[in-house]
Each structure stands twice: as C-alpha cells, then as structure tokens.
Amino acid sequence: MCGITARIGNDGSLEDLLVSLKNLEYRGYDSAGIAVQNGAGIEVSKCEGEVSELKAQLTANEHDGPIGIGHTRWSTHGPPTDENAHPHTGCEGRVTAVHNGIIENYAALRESLQDRGHEFTSDTDTEVIPHLVEERLNDGLESEAAFRDAIGELEGSYAIALMIDGDPAVYATRSGSPLVVGIGEDANYLASDVPAFLEFTDRVIYLEDGDDIVVTPDDHRITDGAGRSVSRPTETVEWEPGDAEKGGFDHYMLKEIHEQPVSLRQTIHGRIEGEDVVLEDFPPGTFDGISRVQFVACGTSYHAGMYGEWLLSKWGIDANTFIASEYAAYPAPVDDETLVIGVTQSGETADTLEALQSARERGARTLALTNVIGSTAARTCDDALFIRAGPEIGVAATKTFSSQVATLVLLGERLTRDITGEPTADCRERLESLESLPDHVEGVIENSRAASISHRWLGDNGHFFIGRGNAYSVALEGALKFKEITYEHAEGFAAGELKHGPLALVTSDTPVFAIGTGRHSKRLESNVREIQTRGAPVIAVTPRTATSLTDTADEFLSVPAAHPDLVAILANVQLQLIAYHAADEMERSIDKPRNLAKSVTVE
Ligand code: F6R
C-alpha cells in the first residue's frame, strides 16, 4: 500500500513531485521520498514521516532536475524507517525505483542477488528491482530490455516506476496495482491515482495489468510483456483540481461530509424516471438468469453491502454479504446464476479483488460497484456500476458510503425486477424519496446539533451504536467511523442483541446512539429502556415524528422523515458528524488516522 508518482519533463520536477506526493498521502504516509536526475547523477532524498517532513529536508536547488520519481509509503515489508523509505537504488546508484504492492518471491530473488555479490540496504521487497535491472544493464542490455527482463522475474502485485541515470525517461509497469499516465503540456506524469497530477493535467491513460510503458518528456510508448506495442485510449477526467483540495474546510473528512448533497445528486442524476430506474449499462433483462446475489466488501463498503442485502432480502431476493478477506479464504458456494457484487470505493482493495476473482473462477458473474473508473475492480469484473461520488481523500469513508447505498437502492430495483418480474412493492415512493435525499442530507448538515451532543456525551467507557434492520448496518458504520478517527472504543450492535451479552459493558459512562427508522419502533424503545435501566444515556437518531422514541431517549438528533428504507442513510450523516466533532475535540489526526490508509492494496 503506497502511492507512486513520476514527472518527466525538461525543467525542474521537484515542485510537481511534492504536490503529487501530498495528493497521494491518502494511500500511505509513514515515509516519503523522491529521486531526481540532475545531470550529475541521481539524487535520492527520503525519510520516515509525512511528505511535509521530506519537504523540510530538501533544498530546492540541490535536489531538482527534469526527471524524477516519488513515493509515499504505508509499510508492508520492514518498519517505517529512513532506510526502508523509497526510492531504492541498486549497488551502483544508477538505477532507482519506487513500487506499490508486494513482490511475493523477493526473498528468493534477494538471496540469489546476494549470492552474486549485491548488497542490500533495506528490509523491503522493492529493493530487488533496481538490483535486477542493474545486473542486466551490466550484462549489456539496453534500458527498456533490461527493465522488461527484470520485471519478468517478479511474482506478486506491483506498480513500478524506475529511472536509469543518463536516460531521459521513466520506465514503468503494472500488475495488480494501479498506475495511470497523465499527458501534460510541458511534462508527462505517472501515478497510482489521478488526483496526484490533476493540478497539471486532466488527460489520462489508464494502464492495464501487464502493460509496460516508457515515458519521455514529449512522448510515451506502451508495450506488452513481449515488447509488442499496445494502444490505450487517452481520456479526459471530469474532476476539477479543486475537487481534491480542502476547499476551506479544516479537514477533508468534513469537506466530504458537506459534499454529500452534491455527490448524491451526481449518483442519482439521470438514473430515475418516474417508477423506472435507468442504469446506463444495465437495461431491463440484464440480470435475467440470476437467482442469487452475494456482496463481498471490507469496512465501510461491507456495511453498504449489508444495507444492500437487507433491501434485496426484503424484496424477496436471496442475498448475503461476506467480509471479503474471509470470502477469499472460505468462499461461499456459487454457480452461474450467482451475481457477486464487489462493493469497493477505490476498486483496488486487495481482499475484495481476491474475493471477486475467487467467485469468477468458480463460475459466478461479477459486478464492481465502485467510485473509480479505470480501477482494477471495474476492469476485471464482468460489469461495473459507478457510484459517481467524486474523489474522496479523507481516510474515513463518508460520501462514498451514502453514494454506495443510493446506488444499491437503484441496482436493487433493477435486480428485483429482472429476477422476480415485478417492481418492488413501494418503488414509486422510495424512488421519489431517493430524489429528495440530497436535499434532506443538506438539511441534516445545516441543522445538525452533532457538535454540542458529541461534546456533552463523550463517554469514558466506550460508545455503543444500536439499530434494527438496515439501521443495524448503520450502527456498525457509526461505530467504525467513531473508533477509526477518535481512537476511542466503540461498538455497533443489532439492538436486540445487547441483552444477550454486551449489556454487561454498559455503565453510566457508555453513551448509546439508537438509530430509529420508524420501523420496529416499539422493540427499539424496549431496548432503549433496558439500556437506561443500567444508567447509560441514550441519544436517539431518528425523525422528529418518532415521538415515542424521542420522548424515551435522553437526547435526540433529528433527521427528516424520508422513506423508512432511506432514513438510516440520513442517520448515518449525523453519526459521521458525531465522530468528526468528537475526534476534532480530541485533536486527532482526522484525515490520516494512525495505522490506517485509504486504499488497502495488501491482503
Ligand atoms: C473506513 C474505510 C474502510 C474502507 C475499506 C474498503 O472509513 O474507509 O473501512 O471502506 O478499506 O475500501 P474500499 O471501499 O476502497 O474497498
């Protein structure tokens, strides 16, 4: 898990490289480094810590040059140290590489390189790459051939960018890890993700697994592993550079919470026509022959999958959700009537990709529900449906969750009609309510009392989140968000489960957030009373119209009275704000919580 970047131009590359690395920090931020060719050799600067620490170490003139590569790291092999930070060089310092992914056979490669006299300076798997290329250059191979031949030795998943001293180009490749090319006016770029260079160009080429590329200041050439030319289209991305900046908010997370009315409008735009859903590549009949749906996902996306499962089950469809890392190891039975949906914001989560692959290999049809066009999930699944939330930089997923669930409401309608031959029972009311959802979210954000409530009810003994039905998936999501950015203990429960054990943990210092959708109200109220009897305060998150719940609870956060299937999405926005304000009060690193990264490309 890391971000890699390169800038290939005729003038100084340092400034652009640092901007790109900053924009890639959501992929990892435990160490950072750059290498530039400056005419006198390759200059490498790297250190443990964030990009700002690297920047502080650099003196522009000493470290600038027209061609450079950069890296921001989230450790997999070797702890975050100066030595393990990328770029890595061979013995002679003439070959330098950055890498995202894992070289599975690195131990054997390293041993044989050491047997041949190569000396290593880090614990990383990456370091074998420059040594392998250096060896081939010394054997007399030209740069491109040396690079291709060395890559042929690697097993695992990787995106690599590599420079050779005196050669005005960057050599790169991808296999299982993302890599995109940016075509600029004055320079060309490579990066793990588009926001890295969006300030410099919006013209992008998405590389495919197995593509090798040579990028020069004015040109690029893509080939397959055998050196045959390959053509990939240049696309214009619609994201504005400002989309990837904080836009006046203190944190990306807060900005992204506030963006939800806009992102939700994008998600549903043009996809609802009266009682019908219009999903670009999914006309009626697309899912004829499907009889069972499985969701595979991780973290927040798993909670969105659970929400989708609940909807589909209610509509009579056989649906289940699986934690992707478990599914990959212990797959559920599938057949050619099974649709396996990978819910993944980034489209690059290794566990989810592996689960999808396992389903595909066993004959299931696969669909990626993702935010990233050109992501591995989108390209490797049979179908892809985009949630259109725009770039999400904060490590804690917020707007992508709302857009995932909104997209699942639409996809669920299409699936149900194709599988059962009938629209869902109250589809008109639900779709109308979905069209109003962006306005409702706006209302929640404008009127939220989450800041004062999170201050008033900060517990000393953990925080619980409870709900029933689809509100259970939001209870889990509310707890995940809270623990992820506050570092405080938080748990989500099905409301009826508390009395089967977890109630023992409840004290007067355990605030409990109870999510009410308007369904099963009496049962939820009983659960609230059980909690209050143990002295814990309960904060209801529910429409104002749910008066008996709001009257029972100690405190309440109101949400608009949307369709009961959608109320939990609104409650989730309140819980995002609760987590945000609690973490802000505790002065946590909200956008980059400790030990976490935005895109988890390791298993
Ligand atoms: C939590 C969070 C993670 C991700 C998970 C899956 O706020 O963002 O739990 O949801 O790592 O990521 P994607 O959706 O990219 O597959």
Side-chain angles (χ1 to χ4, degrees):
M1 163 89 65
C2 302
I4 68 172
T5 189
R7 187 207 189 256
I8 309 99
N10 294 308
D11 53 356
S13 58
L14 179 67
E15 214 170 298
D16 286 7
L17 283 173
L18 289 172
V19 169
S20 294
L21 285 184
K22 197 77 204 148
N23 291 340
L24 285 175
E25 266 197 316
Y26 72 92
R27 301 181 64 86
Y29 37 81
D30 64 33
S31 42
I34 55 153
V36 290
Q37 292 202 50
N38 61 10
I42 292 180
E43 186 105 36
V44 179
S45 315
K46 56 185 191 172
C47 62
E48 183 189 343
E50 299 189 3
V51 173
S52 53
E53 281 162 58
L54 172 71
K55 202 170 171 179
Q57 285 190 12
L58 294 167
T59 327
N61 292 339
E62 279 174 23
H63 294 88
D64 214 350
I67 298 176
I69 56 178
H71 191 270
T72 177
R73 181 167 187 249
W74 187 76
S75 312
T76 54
H77 288 77
T81 60
D82 291 354
E83 294 73 32
N84 289 336
H86 298 212
H88 290 286
T89 49
C91 297
E92 300 160 13
R94 63 191 282 227
V95 182
T96 312
V98 289
H99 161 227
N100 168 35
I102 291 179
I103 311 295
E104 282 165 5
N105 59 337
Y106 86 99
L109 290 172
R110 183 177 168 122
E111 203 178 310
S112 67
L113 282 159
Q114 279 169 330
D115 288 346
R116 298 196 292 276
H118 288 261
E119 284 179 16
F120 284 74
T121 56
S122 78
D123 309 319
T124 65
D125 51 344
T126 306
E127 199 183 342
V128 297
I129 301 165
H131 287 277
L132 288 170
V133 174
E134 182 182 87
E135 203 167 59
R136 282 151 181 78
L137 290 171
N138 288 340
D139 287 346
L141 290 188
E142 296 295 328
S143 304
E144 194 176 340
F147 179 69
R148 181 173 300 115
D149 196 62
I151 297 307
E153 298 269 325
L154 307 180
E155 289 167 18
S157 73
Y158 48 80
I160 296 163
L162 178 139
M163 277 190 316
I164 298 166
D165 186 27
D167 185 343
V170 168
Y171 298 85
T173 188
R174 67 159 284 176
S175 177
S177 297
L179 188 63
V180 288
V181 188
I183 307 295
E185 291 291 329
D186 304 320
N188 292 320
Y189 300 84
L190 285 160
S192 302
D193 199 359
V194 175
F197 51 65
L198 204 52
E199 281 157 67
F200 315 123
T201 182
D202 58 3
R203 296 175 60 225
V204 169
I205 300 170
Y206 294 101
L207 296 177
E208 302 274 337
D209 275 351
D211 286 353
D212 296 334
I213 185 166
V214 186
V215 187
T216 60
D218 319 305
D219 206 1
H220 68 271
R221 195 162 67 84
I222 306 172
T223 52
D224 64 14
R228 290 177 294 249
S229 281
V230 171
S231 168
R232 302 275 175 235
T234 305
E235 298 173 33
T236 303
V237 291
E238 285 166 17
W239 300 347
E240 296 293 326
D243 288 351
E245 289 167 9
K246 276 193 211 144
F249 290 93
D250 288 344
H251 298 95
Y252 283 114
M253 182 184 176
L254 189 59
K255 172 177 176 261
E256 286 155 6
I257 291 172
H258 280 254
E259 278 172 354
Q260 286 175 106
V262 174
S263 52
L264 276 167
R265 278 185 199 108
Q266 288 170 186
T267 301
I268 60 178
H269 176 75
R271 287 173 162 175
I272 300 173
E273 280 181 11
E275 284 195 357
D276 284 331
V277 292
V278 185
L279 292 174
E280 45 275 23
D281 295 328
F282 302 87
T286 301
F287 299 109
D288 284 353
I290 294 296
S291 63
R292 174 164 57 177
V293 175
Q294 295 177 351
F295 293 100
V296 290
C298 309
T300 292
S301 295
Y302 173 77
H303 301 147
M306 280 179 71
Y307 205 129
E309 171 194 332
W310 180 85
L311 289 169
L312 285 178
S313 303
K314 195 163 76 77
W315 299 333
I317 310 298
D318 177 355
N320 287 100
T321 313
F322 298 87
I323 291 175
S325 56
E326 287 293 308
Y327 187 94
Y330 310 102
V334 294
D335 55 26
D336 59 4
E337 292 187 4
T338 310
L339 177 71
V340 178
I341 302 178
V343 185
T344 166
Q345 182 281 127
S346 62
E348 301 294 350
T349 300
D351 290 326
T352 307
L353 294 178
E354 200 189 0
L356 286 166
Q357 188 182 344
S358 143
R360 195 164 37 247
E361 283 168 2
R362 290 175 300 118
R365 185 165 158 188
T366 55
L367 185 152
L369 192 102
T370 181
N371 195 27
V372 182
I373 298 171
S375 62
T376 304
R379 287 181 301 97
T380 52
C381 283
D382 297 309
D383 297 296
L385 181 58
F386 297 103
I387 64 169
R388 304 177 181 166
E392 187 176 70
I393 306 297
V395 164
T398 50
K399 63 176 180 171
T400 53
F401 176 82
S402 313
S403 287
Q404 284 170 337
V405 176
T407 310
L408 284 171
V409 173
L410 298 170
L411 179 63
E413 188 67 41
R414 161 66 54 246
L415 276 162
T416 305
R417 289 179 192 208
D418 283 355
I419 295 172
T420 67
E422 302 283 342
T424 61
D426 48 356
C427 73
R428 178 179 278 278
E429 294 76 16
R430 188 181 317 101
L431 292 176
E432 273 174 9
S433 186
L434 188 60
E435 286 184 297
S436 308
L437 197 67
D439 293 340
H440 286 331
V441 170
E442 209 160 286
V444 169
I445 293 168
E446 275 169 15
N447 303 313
S448 179
R449 294 162 52 236
S452 62
I453 287 186
S454 72
H455 174 74
R456 163 86 179 79
W457 300 105
L458 210 53
D460 279 341
N461 187 32
H463 298 75
F464 285 0
F465 297 76
I466 61 168
R468 286 175 172 266
N470 56 342
Y472 169 42
S473 56
V474 166
L476 293 178
E477 173 56 12
L480 175 65
K481 214 88 313 173
F482 198 89
K483 71 180 92 166
E484 180 178 17
I485 60 169
T486 64
Y487 314 155
E488 293 292 311
H489 181 238
E491 291 300 331
F493 297 102
E497 258 318 269
L498 274 191
K499 58 185 177 294
H500 298 290
L503 206 52
L505 296 173
V506 167
T507 70
S508 58
D509 272 332
T510 318
V512 179
F513 291 83
I515 304 150
T517 61
R519 290 201 174 102
H520 309 294
S521 306
K522 289 277 161 251
R523 287 172 182 230
L524 185 61
E525 280 160 43
S526 304
N527 302 140
V528 166
R529 286 201 192 87
E530 286 155 16
I531 294 160
Q532 288 172 320
T533 308
R534 276 77 192 175
V538 176
I539 302 104
V541 189
T542 193
R544 193 174 289 281
T545 45
T547 44
S548 61
L549 179 59
T550 58
D551 289 350
T552 309
D554 300 84
E555 182 61 271
F556 110 94
L557 274 168
S558 112
V559 296
H563 186 285
D565 289 349
L566 308 181
V567 167
I569 305 177
L570 298 167
N572 188 56
V573 175
Q574 290 283 26
L575 297 182
Q576 292 168 350
L577 289 165
I578 287 285
Y580 174 82
H581 290 297
D584 197 34
E585 188 164 333
M586 290 182 227
E587 298 183 352
R588 301 297 193 223
S589 170
I590 291 181
D591 283 332
K592 290 183 276 179
R594 70 183 179 204
N595 305 338
L596 301 178
K598 183 72 182 161
S599 182
V600 186
T601 52
V602 290
E603 286 152 16

